Amino acid sequence: MHPAYSVIFFTTASGAGYGLLALLGIFAASGLLPADRWLGVVGVGLAMTLIAGGLLSSVGHLGRPERFLGAMRQWRSSWLAREGVLAILTFIPAGLFGIGWVFLNSTQGFFGWMGALAAVLAGITVWCTSMIYASLKPIQQWHNVFVTPSYLVLGLMTGALLLVLVTRAFGVYQGAFGWLAVLAVVAGWAVKTAYWRHIDGTRPRSTLGTATGLGRLGTVRLLEMPHTEENFLMKEMGFRIARDHATKLRRVAGLALFAVPFVLALAAALGGPVVGTLAAAGAVLSAGLGVVVERWLFFAEARHTSMLYYGMAA
Amino acid sequence: MLSEPEIELSPTINDEVKYTTCYMCACRCGIKVHLKDGLVRYIEGNKNHPTNKGVLCGKGSSGIMQHYSPARLRKPLKRVGERGKAEFVEIEWDEALSIAAGWLGNIRETDPRKLAFFTGRDQSQSLTGWWAAQFGTPNFAAHGGFCSVNMAAAGLYTIGGSFWEFGEPDWDRAKYFMIFGVAEDHDSNPIKTGLGKLKARGAKVVSVNPIRTGYSAIADEWVGIRPGTDGLFVMALIHELLNADKIDVDYLVRYTNAPWLVIQDPGTAEHGLFARDADGNPLCWDAKAKALVSAKLADVTPAIVGEFTLADGSKAVPSFQLLAERYMDPQYAPDAVAERCGVPAADIRRIAAELADVAFNQTIELDIEWTDWAGRKHDKVIGRPVAMHAMRGISAHTNGFHTCRAIHVLQVLLGSVECPGGFRFKPPFPKPIPPGQKPAGKTFAPGKPLGGMPLGFTMGPEDLLVEADGTPIRIDKAYSWEAPISAHGLMHMVITNAWKGDPYPIDTLFMYMANMSWNSTMNTKGVIEMLTDKDPKTGEYKIPRIIYSDAYFSEMVAYADLILPDTTYLERWDCISLLDRPICEADGPADAIRQPVVQPDRDVRAFQTVLLDLGARLGLPGMVKEDGSAKFPGGYPDYIVNHERTPGIGPLAGWRGEDGKGVGRGAVNPDQLKTYIENECFWAHHLEPSQRFYKFANKDYLDFAVHMGFIGHADQIVLQLYSEPMQKFRLAAEGHGAVQPPDRLRERIKSVFDPLPIWYVPYEEAMVDTQKYPLHALTQRPMIMYHSWGSQNAWLRQILGRNKLYVNSATGAKLGLVEGDWVWVESHHGRIKVQTKFMEGLNPNTVWTWNAIGKRAGSWNLAPDAPEAKKGFLLNHLISELLPPEADGRRFSNSDPVTGQASWFDLRVRIEKCAPGEAEVSEPQFPDIALPPGLEPAPEVNRYGADLSHRGR
Amino acid sequence: MTSLPENRGPKRLGLVIDLDTCVGCHACATNCKEWNTSGHSAPLTDVNAYQAEQRGVWFNRVHTFEVGDQEGGRTVHFPKNCMHCEFPDCVTVCPTGASYKRAEDGIVLVDHDKCIGCKLCSWACPYGAREFDEVEGVMKKCTLCIDKIYNKNLAEADRVPACVATCPSKARHFGDFNDPNSNVSRLTAERGGMELLPELGYQPTSRYLPPRPGKRPQGDAAALPKAANGTAGRFLRWVDQMLSR
Ligand SMILES: Nc1nc2c(c(=O)[nH]1)N[C@H]1C(S)=C(S)[C@@H](COP(=O)(O)OP(=O)(O)OC[C@H]3O[C@@H](n4cnc5c(=O)[nH]c(N)nc54)[C@H](O)[C@@H]3O)O[C@H]1N2
Ligand SMILES: Nc1nc2c(c(=O)[nH]1)N[C@H]1C(S)=C(S)[C@@H](COP(=O)(O)OP(=O)(O)OC[C@H]3O[C@@H](n4cnc5c(=O)[nH]c(N)nc54)[C@H](O)[C@@H]3O)O[C@H]1N2
Ligand code: SF4
Ligand code: SF4
Ligand code: SF4
Ligand code: SF4
Ligand code: SF4
Ligand SMILES: [Mo]
C-alpha cells in the first residue's frame, strides 16, 4: 500500500497524543501528578496538539476535507466513523480535564473523573484507528490480530516516553513513570516483532488463480494490464518495497523505536534529574523517528489483493 | 442505517438523435449519435444496421474523444519554413485552392503524369480514382497496394471475389472455421460477432497464426505456424484431401475450370493455355459423347483426368489433372512440410481429416429452390459447412498471392465457396474472373482525361502499362513487369521512386489520409529524408510540391507544402458506395451515407468537396457544365446525388428514380439523401432465398447483378483453379509474344507466374543471412487503435500508450533476456531500441509488436515526452521498401512479384540486450515537431461530460 | 451492525462475462466511459489526457492473462468491473454513507455529494473496482448503468448496461440472479459460472464463465485413410466418375 505521509503522521502523532493524554489523566486523577498549572499547560497542551495535529493532517488527506464532519455518520458499521466519533467525544472529558487542571488547578473529584474518562476514550479511539486497518480483508498484512495491540502499545509507549520527558523537565518525575516507559518499550518491541514474524509467515490467502478463477486450468500469468501507464489503483495499492530494503528499515525501526529508547528509558529511570531529562529527550526523539519508520513500513509492506490482477504477488 | 439518496433514474440524454456511419476504422458500422446542447452526448451502434447490428467496438465507442481531439487541424496551412519543421502560415481557403489549382493546372497542360495522386484510408475511391482519370494521370492508387492487394487479386483471379471484407463466412451455419493470419481486419465487428455466434453454437474455430492474441485467443485450436509458410501448410492439407479422395468432384465439374483442357505442348506459345474452340470457348472432354465440346455447355459430362488429343493433334489434359498431380506429390506431404511450418505433421493430418469430416459427413441441406445459370431448377442447396477467412498474415509476404490462391483452391476442392456454411460473397461479388476493367494509362495526353480508370485487372502482357522498352508508365511501377497484377498500385513505392526520378521525376505529390512520413511507409527514416532532400543543382526539393489533406496534426503534415484540413467523420457527408467498398452482406447489397451530425467549429472543409471544387477550377470533364461553371456547386452531397457513372447508376444504389422506387438503377432522385436520412443513413436490399447461394451460377442472382450493374452479362462465372493469365505472363517470360519482360526479370517471372499455386521462401528470408537474422518480426493491429490516429484519443491512449516487443518466453531466456529488458533489434536495413515483454502464446521463431503506436515527439498534439514518443516505437524503421541488391546491384521493391503487395511481414531480425548504461528510451528519436499555427497546446485534465450530465456539475 | 440494506428487495442484478468468447476488444471499457462520463457519475475525469502518465477514471478495465504454456495453453481476456457484491465491505467501511448498496436491486453506488474522498472503500474492495477521481476528490465506480437500465426515455431494448449492449462478441450478459429463469442464472448454471475470490466472502453477484476446453484431439488418430494403390488409384477412380455439369 502507498505510504501517505499525512496518514503516517496522523496515526503516529495522534497515537502518541492519546497515549500521553491517557497517562496524564490516570496519574493526575490518582494524584501522582501535581495539579501544577504550567505542567497542565505543557502536558495536556502537548497531548492535545499531537491529537489535533494528527486529526488535521488526516483531514488534509481527504479528497474533500470540507466535508469531514460527514465522516462520523456511519459509526454503526465503519471503524473510520467510529474513530471520528470517539476522537470528538474524547475532546469533551479531555477538554474539561485540561480546563480543571490549567485554570482551576484541580485534577481531583469531577476533573479527576474527566481525566480517567479521557484516558479510557483515548484508548478506545486508538483501538478504533487500529481496527480501520485490521478490518480490511483484502490486506492480509493488516487483517490480523497483531495490528490492534501494536497500535495500542505503541501509542502507550510513545505517550509514556513523552510523560517521562515532561515530568523530568518539570521535576515532578516519579519512578513509576520511568519503569512504565521501559515496560512499554519492551512490550512494543515484543508485539512488533511478533507482527513481523506473523506477516513473514503468512502465505497469501488468494492467488491469481483464485482471483481469476482460471487456476484450475494451469498457472496464470498477466500478459497485458488494462492500461499501459499506472492508474489510481496501482498508485494507491501497487506500492512495493524490495525485501532487503524492508529488512534494513525494520532494523532501523527496531533500533530507533525500541533499542535506543529502551536504553535511554532505563537511563531516564535510573539517572538523576539532568541525565534523566536528557535521556528522556533522546528517547522521545529516537522513538519519534522510529515510529514514523515503523508506520511507513506498516503501509509499504502491506499488499492488496486487487494487485493480483496487475500481476503482483499478494 | 441511512435512507438511500434520491437518484435520477430517467435523465434525458439527448435533445436530438442523428444516425450516420462510424469512421473510427474502415468497418463502417452504423451509429446513432445522441446530441445534447449541441455536443455529442453518446454514440451507440445502430441496431438495424447490417454491418454492426447495434454493437460498437472499442474504437467506435471512443468517437467523442476523436471528434474533440486537440490535434484537429483548424485552417488551411501554407509552408513558410523548411519541410519537416511544421513552419506554416494560416491561409484562406480561396488562396489554398487557387495555389493548388495553379500547380495542378500547369501539370495537366504539360504532362499529367507529373501529378501523383495517392490516397490512404480513402472511402471515396470511386470519386478520387475518377477524379484522377479526368485529370489524366495514371498515377493514382489508394492504400490497397501496401495493404492487402494479394488477397484481393488472388481472390478475384480465382473465385471472382475475395476475403478482405468482400465476402464473409456463413457465421450462422458454419461448423468448422479456419482463420489464417487475422488480428482484427476491416470487418472488425462482424468478425467478432461472427466468432461469438460460432462459439455459441459450439462450432470449431481454428486460428492459424504465429501469435495467440485476440481472435486466436478464443480459438478452439491455435496453430502457431512459422511466418511465411502457410502455403506449405495449406498444400499439405490439399495433399491429404486429394489422396483420400475427400473432394467435391461434383462441385468441381459444375462450377470450376477443373475439366477445362490445358494444352500440353512445351516450348510453344500455346503451352499451358486452355484449348479453345473457334468462338474462344474453353474445351473439355465429354466422357459420355466421347468428344471435345465447349466446357461452357450445360449437361456435358466432362472428364477431369485423362489425356486427350486436340484437332491440331496436340495433347491436352483437364486442368484438374495438373492440379492433382502437383499436390499429390510427396513433396507436399505433411511430414515433408511439418518442420518448415513449425506445425506437427500429425496436427496437419488431423486438421485435414476434420475438414473432410465436416465438409462431407456434416453436410447441410437447405430446401431452397433455385435456378442455375442454364435455367435448370434445383430443389435444394447443399452446404459444406467449412468456412475460411484470411487476411494480412497471408498477404503481407512476397509469396502471399500464391498462398492466398492456395487457400481458395482448398475451399473450392471442399465445395465450400458460396454454399450454406461456407465462404459467401457479398454483392457486387462475384465478378467475372478477373473483372473486365483494364488499367488505363497506356495513352495519356496533356489536357485530356485518361480514357478509363487508373486501376484495373491485367489479363496478360498486352495489358501491362509499360513503354515499348519495358519502362514502367506509372510512378509506382504498377502493372509493369515488376508487378504485373498490381491491381491496387504500389503506394509504398511512390515517394522512393519520385525521389529517385525512377522511372521519371514528378512535379506534385498529392496525398489524402495517409501518414506516409511515419507508420504507413517502410524505411520511415529514409522516406523522411527523401521528402526533405533537395536537388543540389536547383536547390529545389527532389519532390517539388506536396499537397496533403489530413484532419489531424499527424506526422505527415510537417512534410507538406500545402495543407487542406479536413472535417471529422461526424462533420461531413460521405457515401459508402457500391462503386467502391460497400457494406453489403452475403444476403444482399447495401450502401450507406455519412451526414454531418455536428457543424465544424473550425475553418475546415470535407476533402471530397474540396476535390470537386479543384476539379471545377481545373475544368475537368464531368465536374464542369458546358458553360464551364461547377457541375456540383453543392459539393460532395451534390455529387453523391447527381453524379451518374453510367446512365441510371450513381454513387448510391438506394431509392433511385424520380419516384425513389428504383433499386440500384434509375434516374437521379433529388430527395435521395433525405430518404437515406429517414432510413437511418443506410440502404439494404435483401436477396430472395433463391438468389442467395452459388451466386456465380445462380440465374436469378446473375440477372439481378446485371440489373444492378455489378456485371455485364449473366453468364456463369466459372471458378478458376488453374489461372490462364498467370500462364500468359510466364509464356512471355519464356520468349513468346510481343510484350516480353526485361531479361533481368525473365527468370523471376518464369518461376513465379505459375498457373497453379506454388510456395517459395519469402524473398527477404531467401536473401539475408538467416543465421545472422534468426527471428521473424511482425506487427499486429491492436483492436483499440486504428493505425496512427488513435493515439490522439484521450481514452484510447490510456489503454495502449506504448508498445513493447513481444518475445517467446523460452526464446527470451535462451537469449539471456529478462522480461522488460531493453534490446536493440536489427534487420538488414536498420536498428531500433525497444523494451521487451515475454509471452507463451507465440511462435518461438517470432517476435512482434503492436502496429503504429510509436509516435513522433510533438505530433498529434501530444506532449513531447509522451510514452508514445519516448517508449513506443515503429517496426517500420527496420523494414526496407527495397530488397537487398541483386547481382547487378539493382534492387527490387520489397513486394510480392505478382501483385506488388508490400511485404511487411517478411522482416527478419536479431535482438541483442542493451548495454547496462543505455537510456531506457526507444530509438530512433527525431527532433520534436512544433505545433502548427492555430493549434492550442492540449489540456491536462479532461472532464468531458461534466456539463452534459443531469447531475449538472 | 451494518449499513447494508436490512431487507433486500426482490432483485439481484449483475453481469455474466464469458471468458470463452471475449476477444479483448475493450469496447465494454470505452463504451462504459462514453456513457458514464456524462451520466450519473459525470465526469469520468482523465488526468494528463495528452501528456505522459496519462490516467483516468474507468469503471471497467480489460486485463489479459495467459494460462498454461505455449502448447495447449491459452490467452484469456478478462474484463473487470464492480461485482455488486452481496457483502461488500466497500459499503460497510464507508464512514459517510456515501457508499451504499441499493435494497431494491443490490446495485452498489457512491453518492458523490456525500463522499469525502477518504479512499477507504477502495482499500476494502479486493477486486479493484473503485475508482478515485483525483480532480473531484471523490470516489466513483461502476453504477451498473443505473441511469440507463431504468431510463424511461430509452426504448425497452436499450435499457441494458452500455458495456453489455456494445459487446461485439456477445460475451457480456445482464440480468437478475434472483430469477432462476433469467439469462444470467441459466448461463451460470449451464456453464459453471465462477465467483471470483470466493475465499473472501464478499459473495460477488457477477459471474465469469470459464473458457470451454479447446477441441484438440491429440495425435494421429483422426488422419485420413490413404486411398488404395496410391496416386494411380485416385486417378482411375476419377476417370470412372461420370458427373455432368
Ligand atoms: N483496430 C484496427 N482495425 C483495423 C486496422 C487498425 O489499424 N486497427 N487496420 C485496418 C487495415 S488497413 C487492415 S489492412 C486490416 C488488416 O487486418 P489484419 O489482417 O488482421 O492485419 P494485421 O493486424 O496485420 O494482422 C496480421 C495477422 O497475421 C498474423 N501473421 C503474420 N504473419 C503471418 C503468417 O505468415 N502466417 C499466418 N498465418 N499469420 C501471420 C499476425 O500475427 C497478425 O495476427 O485491419 C483493418 N482493421
Ligand atoms: N509495420 C507496419 N506498417 C504498416 C502496416 C503493418 O501491418 N505493419 N500496415 C500497413 C497498412 S495495411 C495500411 S492500410 C497502412 C495504413 O496507413 P495509413 O493509411 O496511413 O493509415 P493511418 O496511419 O491511419 O493514416 C491515415 C491518416 O489519415 C488521417 N485522417 C484520419 N481521419 C481523417 C479524416 O477524416 N480526413 C482526413 N483527410 N484524414 C484523416 C490520420 O490523421 C492519418 O494521418 O499502414 C501500413 N503500415
Ligand atoms: S468497427 Fe468499430 S471503429 Fe470500425 S466502424 Fe465499426 S464501430 Fe467504428
Ligand atoms: S466488449 Fe466484449 S469482447 Fe470486447 S472486451 Fe469487452 S467483453 Fe470482451
Ligand atoms: S466489487 Fe468491490 S466495489 Fe464492487 S461491490 Fe464488491 S467490494 Fe464493492
Ligand atoms: S471514499 Fe467516499 S465512498 Fe469511499 S469510503 Fe470514503 S467516503 Fe465512502
Ligand atoms: S455496467 Fe455500466 S457502469 Fe458498469 S461497467 Fe458496464 S457500462 Fe460501465
Ligand atoms: Mo490496410
Side-chain angles (χ1 to χ4, degrees), chain A residues 64 73-74 76 221-229, chain B residues 1-2 798-799 801-802 806 819 837-839 850 867:
Chain A
R64 286 301 191 92
R73 256 188 242 115
Q74 290 298 301
R76 272 211 220 67
R221 62 182 285 273
L222 178 75
L223 180 59
E224 300 276 16
M225 296 196 305
H227 300 85
T228 50
E229 313 305 300
Chain B
M1 168 78 218
L2 279 105
Q798 290 181 54
I799 295 171
R802 67 172 79 194
Y806 293 82
E819 176 155 39
K837 191 169 180 45
F838 285 9
M839 69 186 283
W850 295 117

Coordinates of all heavy atoms in Angstrom, one line a residue, chain A residues 64 73-74 76 221-229, chain B residues 1-2 798-799 801-802 806 819 837-839 850 867:
Chain A
R64 N -12.0 15.5 -0.1 CA -13.0 16.6 0.1 C -12.9 17.0 1.6 O -13.9 16.7 2.4 CB -14.4 16.2 -0.3 CG -14.7 16.2 -1.7 CD -14.4 17.5 -2.4 NE -14.9 17.6 -3.7 CZ -16.1 18.0 -4.1 NH1 -17.0 18.4 -3.2 NH2 -16.5 18.0 -5.3
R73 N -20.9 9.8 10.3 CA -22.3 9.3 10.1 C -22.4 7.8 10.3 O -23.3 7.4 11.0 CB -22.8 9.7 8.7 CG -23.8 10.9 8.7 CD -24.4 11.1 7.4 NE -24.0 12.4 6.9 CZ -23.3 12.6 5.8 NH1 -22.8 11.6 5.1 NH2 -23.0 13.8 5.4
Q74 N -21.5 7.1 9.7 CA -21.7 5.6 9.7 C -21.1 4.9 10.9 O -20.6 3.7 10.7 CB -21.2 5.1 8.4 CG -22.1 5.5 7.2 CD -23.5 4.9 7.4 OE1 -23.7 3.7 7.5 NE2 -24.5 5.8 7.4
R76 N -22.1 3.1 12.9 CA -22.7 1.7 13.2 C -21.8 0.7 12.5 O -21.6 -0.4 13.0 CB -24.1 1.6 12.7 CG -25.1 2.1 13.6 CD -26.4 1.3 13.4 NE -27.6 2.1 13.5 CZ -27.9 3.1 12.7 NH1 -27.1 3.4 11.7 NH2 -29.0 3.8 12.9
R221 N -0.6 -16.2 -15.6 CA 0.3 -15.0 -15.5 C -0.3 -13.8 -16.3 O -1.1 -14.0 -17.3 CB 1.7 -15.4 -16.0 CG 1.8 -15.8 -17.5 CD 3.2 -16.1 -17.9 NE 4.1 -15.0 -18.0 CZ 4.2 -14.3 -19.1 NH1 3.5 -14.6 -20.2 NH2 5.0 -13.2 -19.2
L222 N 0.0 -12.7 -15.9 CA -0.5 -11.5 -16.5 C 0.2 -11.3 -17.9 O 1.4 -11.4 -17.9 CB -0.3 -10.2 -15.7 CG -0.8 -8.9 -16.3 CD1 -2.3 -8.8 -16.2 CD2 -0.1 -7.7 -15.6
L223 N -0.6 -11.0 -18.9 CA 0.0 -10.7 -20.2 C -0.1 -9.2 -20.4 O 0.9 -8.5 -20.7 CB -0.7 -11.4 -21.3 CG -0.1 -11.2 -22.7 CD1 1.4 -11.5 -22.8 CD2 -0.8 -11.9 -23.8
E224 N -1.3 -8.7 -20.3 CA -1.5 -7.2 -20.5 C -2.2 -6.6 -19.4 O -3.3 -7.1 -18.9 CB -2.3 -7.0 -21.8 CG -1.8 -7.5 -23.1 CD -0.8 -6.6 -23.7 OE1 -0.3 -5.6 -23.1 OE2 -0.4 -6.8 -24.9
M225 N -1.8 -5.5 -18.9 CA -2.6 -4.7 -18.0 C -3.6 -3.9 -18.8 O -3.5 -3.8 -20.0 CB -1.7 -3.6 -17.3 CG -0.6 -4.2 -16.4 SD 0.1 -3.0 -15.3 CE 0.6 -1.7 -16.4
P226 N -4.7 -3.5 -18.1 CA -5.7 -2.8 -18.9 C -5.3 -1.5 -19.5 O -5.9 -1.0 -20.4 CB -6.9 -2.6 -17.9 CG -6.3 -3.0 -16.6 CD -5.0 -3.7 -16.7
H227 N -4.3 -0.9 -18.9 CA -3.7 0.3 -19.4 C -2.2 0.3 -19.3 O -1.7 -0.4 -18.4 CB -4.2 1.5 -18.6 CG -5.7 1.6 -18.6 ND1 -6.5 0.9 -17.7 CD2 -6.5 2.3 -19.4 CE1 -7.8 1.2 -18.0 NE2 -7.8 2.1 -19.0
T228 N -1.5 1.0 -20.2 CA -0.1 0.8 -20.2 C 0.6 1.7 -19.2 O 1.8 1.4 -18.9 CB 0.5 1.2 -21.6 OG1 0.0 2.4 -22.1 CG2 0.1 0.1 -22.7
E229 N -0.1 2.7 -18.7 CA 0.6 3.6 -17.7 C -0.1 3.3 -16.3 O -1.2 2.7 -16.3 CB 0.4 5.1 -18.0 CG 0.8 5.4 -19.5 CD 2.2 4.9 -19.8 OE1 3.2 5.3 -19.2 OE2 2.3 4.1 -20.8
Chain B
M1 N -28.6 3.2 10.0 CA -28.8 3.0 8.6 C -29.4 4.2 7.9 O -30.6 4.5 8.3 CB -29.6 1.7 8.4 CG -30.1 1.5 7.0 SD -28.9 0.8 6.0 CE -29.3 1.6 4.5
L2 N -28.8 4.8 7.0 CA -29.4 6.0 6.3 C -30.3 5.5 5.2 O -30.1 4.5 4.6 CB -28.2 6.8 5.7 CG -27.5 7.8 6.6 CD1 -26.1 7.2 6.9 CD2 -27.4 9.1 6.0
Q798 N -4.8 5.7 -23.2 CA -4.6 5.2 -21.8 C -4.5 3.7 -21.9 O -3.7 3.1 -21.2 CB -5.8 5.6 -20.9 CG -5.8 7.0 -20.5 CD -6.9 7.4 -19.6 OE1 -7.0 6.8 -18.5 NE2 -7.7 8.3 -20.0
I799 N -5.2 3.1 -22.8 CA -5.2 1.6 -22.9 C -3.9 1.2 -23.6 O -3.3 0.2 -23.2 CB -6.5 1.2 -23.7 CG1 -7.7 1.5 -22.9 CG2 -6.4 -0.3 -24.1 CD1 -9.0 1.3 -23.7
G801 N -0.6 3.1 -24.7 CA 0.2 4.4 -24.8 C 1.6 4.1 -25.1 O 2.4 5.0 -25.3
R802 N 2.0 2.8 -25.1 CA 3.4 2.5 -25.5 C 3.3 1.0 -26.0 O 2.5 0.3 -25.5 CB 4.3 2.6 -24.3 CG 4.0 1.6 -23.2 CD 5.1 1.7 -22.1 NE 4.9 2.8 -21.2 CZ 5.8 3.2 -20.4 NH1 7.0 2.6 -20.4 NH2 5.6 4.2 -19.6
Y806 N 7.2 -8.2 -28.2 CA 6.9 -9.5 -27.5 C 7.8 -10.6 -28.0 O 8.1 -10.7 -29.2 CB 5.5 -9.9 -27.9 CG 4.4 -8.9 -27.3 CD1 4.1 -7.7 -27.9 CD2 3.8 -9.2 -26.0 CE1 3.2 -6.9 -27.3 CE2 2.9 -8.4 -25.5 CZ 2.6 -7.2 -26.1 OH 1.7 -6.3 -25.5
E819 N 12.3 -10.5 -18.8 CA 11.2 -9.7 -19.3 C 11.4 -8.2 -18.9 O 11.8 -7.9 -17.8 CB 9.9 -10.2 -18.7 CG 8.7 -9.3 -19.1 CD 7.4 -10.1 -19.0 OE1 7.3 -10.9 -18.1 OE2 6.6 -9.9 -19.9
K837 N 8.8 -7.7 -23.8 CA 7.8 -8.3 -23.0 C 7.7 -9.8 -23.4 O 7.8 -10.1 -24.6 CB 6.5 -7.6 -23.2 CG 5.4 -7.9 -22.3 CD 4.2 -7.0 -22.5 CE 3.0 -7.1 -21.6 NZ 3.3 -7.3 -20.2
F838 N 7.6 -10.7 -22.4 CA 7.6 -12.1 -22.8 C 6.1 -12.6 -22.9 O 5.2 -12.1 -22.2 CB 8.3 -12.9 -21.7 CG 9.8 -12.8 -21.7 CD1 10.4 -11.9 -22.5 CD2 10.6 -13.6 -20.9 CE1 11.8 -11.8 -22.6 CE2 11.9 -13.5 -20.9 CZ 12.6 -12.6 -21.8
M839 N 5.9 -13.6 -23.7 CA 4.6 -14.3 -23.7 C 4.8 -15.8 -24.1 O 5.8 -16.1 -24.7 CB 3.6 -13.6 -24.6 CG 3.9 -13.6 -26.1 SD 2.8 -12.6 -27.0 CE 1.3 -13.6 -27.0
W850 N 2.8 -4.2 -31.4 CA 1.5 -3.6 -31.9 C 1.9 -2.5 -33.0 O 2.9 -1.8 -32.8 CB 0.7 -2.9 -30.8 CG 0.2 -3.9 -29.8 CD1 0.5 -3.9 -28.5 CD2 -0.8 -4.9 -30.0 NE1 -0.2 -4.9 -27.8 CE2 -1.0 -5.5 -28.8 CE3 -1.5 -5.3 -31.1 CZ2 -1.9 -6.6 -28.6 CZ3 -2.4 -6.4 -31.0 CH2 -2.6 -7.0 -29.7
P867 N 4.7 8.8 -23.6 CA 5.3 7.5 -23.8 C 5.2 7.0 -25.2 O 6.1 6.3 -25.7 CB 4.4 6.6 -22.9 CG 3.2 7.3 -22.5 CD 3.6 8.8 -22.6

